[in-house]
Amino acid sequence: MGGVIIVTNVRTLLKSDWIGASGSVSAVVYVVLYAVWAAALTYSIRAYRQEKAAQTDHAERQPVGA
């Protein structure tokens, strides 16, 4: 959900008089932003799956009743 907020804020900044980015600059910024967002999401999913697998592996190794 944080990515949506960041995209909205970046769009507001790019369209503002303060920055006033052209269409091509905005497109490059959005492509980079979406790429970083996708990489962060992929990293989070992989980390979650590794942690879940480690917990499952640890639970399988514990003796019954421990």
Side-chain angles (χ1 to χ4, degrees), residues 10-66:
V10 166
R11 182 179 349 136
T12 301
L13 287 173
L14 290 174
K15 290 183 178 183
S16 72
D17 292 336
W18 185 57
I19 295 178
S22 67
S24 59
V25 170
S26 294
V28 169
V29 169
Y30 288 134
V31 167
V32 169
L33 186 62
Y34 284 123
V36 169
W37 186 10
L41 182 62
T42 301
Y43 174 80
S44 295
I45 291 170
R46 285 183 178 178
Y48 172 77
R49 287 181 179 170
Q50 286 178 349
E51 183 178 325
K52 188 99 168 161
Q55 289 175 353
T56 302
D57 186 42
H58 180 70
E60 290 174 355
R61 291 184 183 189
Q62 284 185 337
V64 176

